Amino acid sequence: MNKPLDPITLPAAADAAVSQWPDVDSLYRRFDALVKQPIRPLKREALNKVMGYFDERCQGSKRLAEEAKKFIPGGVQHNLAFNHPFPLAIAQAKGAHLTDVDGNRYIDFLQAGGPTLLGSNHPAIREQVNRILDDCGPVTGLLHEYEVKLAQLVCDVMPSVDMVRLLGSGTEAVMAAVRLARAYTGKKWVIKIGGAYHGWSDQLVYGMRLPGTGRLEAVGIPRGATANTQESPPNNLDALRRRLQINRLRGGTAAIMVEPFGPESGTRPVHPDFNRQLRKLCDEFDALLIFDEVVTGFRAGMGGAQGYFNVMPDITVLGKCLTGGYPMAGAIGGRKDVMQLLAGGIGTTARRAFVGGTLSANPLSCVAGYYALIEARKLNAPALAGRAGDRMRKGLEEIINRRGLPYVAYNLGSIVHLQTSGVLLLDTSNPLKLLRARNEAKSRKHMMEEMGAAYTAHGLITLAGSRIYTSLADTDDVIDDALERFDAVFKLV
């Protein structure tokens, strides 16, 4: 950890989607304790019963999964489709629940990976989407009033955003942000905070999930694609300053890119003043600050993490919650002078950063996004989802302590982390530690998969067994039901 930073005042609990920021130093001590001891997986006889659930109750999903393998690599189209022992096929999503093709019902804490802040298939959005489909269809390739309305609404609620360019996904938006930063500054180096996920573009598959891993996952990506991408450890401002100083001698840094809650949606949470210090460093070294708010955008409050921390980035990347679970959820926003370099149109002759997308800003996605944000603001969804996250975290902590388990539960509002294996918390700070971590990661990853399967067999859908997204649909009754199910799983350890 770096030296202590200046104190920072965060929003009052009553006004914030994140009621309190966790004690980061304490969390890292608990992470360290978790990964230094042997894993605590399910007992073998209990695991056999868990696997029996899938054999007995999920035959329809199993048949579809086997059929999928014939036509889809690995049988899975989406990385979030938890595949141990095989992916579930979902037939219905509504509010806080999912129902699979075999009729089994689950509490949904995946929430499509985070975008459905209002809960799945919210009727207010669905009604407006159906209206647009009847009147206009999903795409025209021309201007539509709702792309203007959505852009204006984003500018209204996100403090640093003067202009918005809508794109197809968070990955596309990250690509555009990097290109825009280089075009605006005339510099080439981009520093990301290590361990973060910024999509799967060639230049950002670097230092993913575990800080210090560089090109570990860059299979099929030429070295030249990541030649100007660098990483710096989270919470280590001294290391970041040194990198900025070296870059200054080599032409300068175009941008620092960060997930403002910390890598992997706060799996490695940052000190509450970290982002403010990044802003200062960017100003000092004449670099742009890019907030990847794909997860925190609207989930951390209508003003995102930038509103919560009161730190203004130059460029903001959005996705997920932007369209409330509907497709083509991506956008880049920022200062007007920076964003003007994205000016489009065939007749544009001024110097610009080129982006495109036939389906970007289509009427279906824009109307969904507009009404998703309108409903979220009207219903105070970020704060209510955050309170559900608080309730979940407190309940999990009580169960963990009562059962004497080494697991770590914490939340950043509606983003709840449940670390049981600690696979994403391994120390990779030098080559020797990285080698050890690669060997140990296999058993810890398998344990995480087994825990995820156990949650599923007990009627709980999570993100890979280690992350929980709460939503407006998660009432006290839903959370209490879920905690009973988690308790039943932890009893099997």
Side-chain angles (χ1 to χ4, degrees):
M1 299 291 292
N2 207 35
K3 62 185 180 182
L5 300 167
D6 297 334
I8 183 173
T9 302
L10 297 177
D15 302 325
V18 182
S19 63
Q20 63 179 25
W21 196 254
D23 182 333
V24 173
D25 293 333
S26 174
L27 274 181
Y28 277 91
R29 288 193 293 269
R30 292 165 65 192
F31 295 161
D32 189 53
L34 175 63
V35 298
K36 282 184 176 177
Q37 60 184 285
I39 58 175
R40 292 282 298 276
L42 301 175
K43 296 183 177 73
R44 290 303 93 182
E45 60 271 23
L47 180 62
N48 291 336
K49 290 182 180 179
V50 165
M51 293 299 106
Y53 168 86
F54 296 94
D55 291 334
E56 297 165 12
R57 300 279 300 275
C58 303
Q59 285 300 305
S61 286
K62 188 173 184 178
R63 284 193 296 272
L64 273 173
E66 290 299 319
E67 191 72 9
K69 289 179 182 178
K70 300 176 184 177
F71 309 104
I72 301 169
V76 176
Q77 297 277 22
H78 199 293
N79 295 337
L80 296 178
F82 196 75
N83 56 1
H84 185 73
F86 50 79
L88 292 182
I90 299 302
Q92 184 184 68
K94 186 176 182 181
H97 295 90
L98 298 171
T99 304
D100 67 20
V101 294
D102 296 288
N104 302 304
R105 193 166 184 253
Y106 307 88
I107 302 175
D108 178 15
F109 291 123
L110 176 61
Q111 286 296 330
T116 46
L117 180 62
L118 298 171
S120 292
N121 204 9
H122 195 278
I125 307 174
R126 187 173 66 248
E127 178 184 351
Q128 297 297 334
V129 167
N130 288 340
R131 176 177 63 83
I132 287 294
L133 287 175
D134 289 340
D135 293 345
C136 179
V139 64
T140 67
L142 298 172
L143 184 67
H144 191 276
E145 71 168 308
Y146 276 100
E147 67 184 271
V148 181
K149 285 187 172 183
L150 177 57
Q152 181 180 356
L153 182 55
V154 172
C155 291
D156 288 345
V157 299
M158 298 294 286
S160 75
V161 175
D162 298 328
M163 305 187 84
V164 173
R165 182 70 184 268
L166 297 171
L167 294 162
S169 67
T171 292
E172 285 188 25
V174 165
M175 293 165 61
V178 170
R179 182 173 297 173
L180 178 59
R182 286 173 170 154
Y184 183 82
T185 63
K187 303 169 184 177
K188 64 182 181 180
W189 299 104
V190 171
I191 305 172
K192 60 166 288 189
I193 301 304
Y197 178 74
H198 297 300
W200 51 270
S201 66
D202 282 5
Q203 58 198 338
L204 269 302
V205 178
Y206 189 91
M208 288 173 57
R209 298 186 175 89
L210 291 173
T213 53
R215 286 179 49 86
L216 184 65
E217 297 194 55
V219 178
I221 300 174
R223 287 197 170 272
T226 55
N228 300 124
T229 305
Q230 303 170 324
E231 62 171 316
S232 188
N235 291 310
N236 192 330
L237 293 166
D238 290 338
L240 182 57
R241 173 177 285 279
R242 287 193 296 271
R243 189 165 291 282
L244 287 164
Q245 288 170 335
I246 293 170
N247 286 354
R248 178 184 275 169
L249 301 175
R250 300 192 294 170
T253 301
I256 296 173
M257 178 174 286
V258 62
E259 286 187 67
F261 274 10
E264 282 285 341
S265 303
T267 296
R268 293 174 184 259
V270 298
H271 189 283
D273 198 37
F274 183 67
N275 294 291
R276 184 156 62 100
Q277 298 296 336
L278 292 186
R279 176 71 274 172
K280 290 181 179 179
L281 284 172
C282 285
D283 292 342
E284 179 182 347
F285 287 89
D286 198 23
L288 298 187
L289 177 60
I290 302 174
F291 270 14
D292 182 340
E293 296 231 42
V294 166
V295 172
T296 53
F298 316 113
R299 191 167 274 280
M302 294 306 296
Q306 59 195 258
Y308 178 71
F309 290 117
N310 192 27
V311 174
M312 299 302 109
D314 302 293
I315 299 174
T316 299
V317 173
L318 295 171
K320 292 190 187 290
C321 293
L322 179 66
T323 61
Y326 284 79
M328 306 306 293
I332 178 174
R335 287 172 17 206
K336 185 174 182 178
D337 61 322
V338 177
M339 291 296 295
Q340 287 286 16
L341 279 177
L342 289 176
I346 294 174
T348 304
T349 56
R351 178 171 170 268
R352 60 170 171 158
F354 186 84
V355 300
T358 301
L359 299 179
S360 297
N362 65 79
L364 183 152
S365 300
C366 291
V367 74
Y370 177 76
Y371 284 102
L373 296 186
I374 288 291
E375 288 294 307
R377 183 167 62 177
K378 180 176 72 175
L379 300 174
N380 199 20
L384 293 177
R387 289 168 198 166
D390 289 344
R391 188 179 182 89
M392 173 63 77
R393 184 259 308 162
K394 291 174 184 176
L396 288 171
E397 283 187 328
E398 188 279 325
I399 297 167
I400 289 168
N401 292 333
R402 171 162 47 84
R403 296 200 173 276
L405 296 168
Y407 306 156
V408 181
Y410 64 100
N411 74 303
L412 312 168
S414 58
I415 307 166
V416 184
H417 293 268
L418 175 57
Q419 296 292 346
T420 58
S421 76
V423 65
L424 293 180
L425 304 173
L426 296 171
D427 188 350
T428 55
S429 57
N430 63 52
L432 180 59
K433 290 179 178 180
L434 175 58
L435 180 62
R436 291 173 181 168
R438 290 183 67 176
N439 294 329
E440 188 176 354
K442 294 179 181 178
S443 61
R444 290 186 177 272
K445 180 176 182 290
H446 188 60
M447 178 195 161
M448 184 175 72
E449 291 173 341
E450 290 179 348
M451 294 300 292
Y455 301 149
T456 300
H458 286 76
L460 299 162
I461 301 293
T462 63
L463 196 163
S466 65
R467 198 177 310 159
I468 293 163
Y469 289 114
T470 53
S471 75
L472 180 68
D474 290 321
T475 62
D476 288 351
D477 288 343
V478 171
I479 297 298
D480 291 345
D481 181 14
L483 289 170
E484 289 183 9
R485 295 168 187 264
F486 277 111
D487 195 17
V489 173
F490 292 157
K491 185 179 180 180
L492 304 177
V493 174

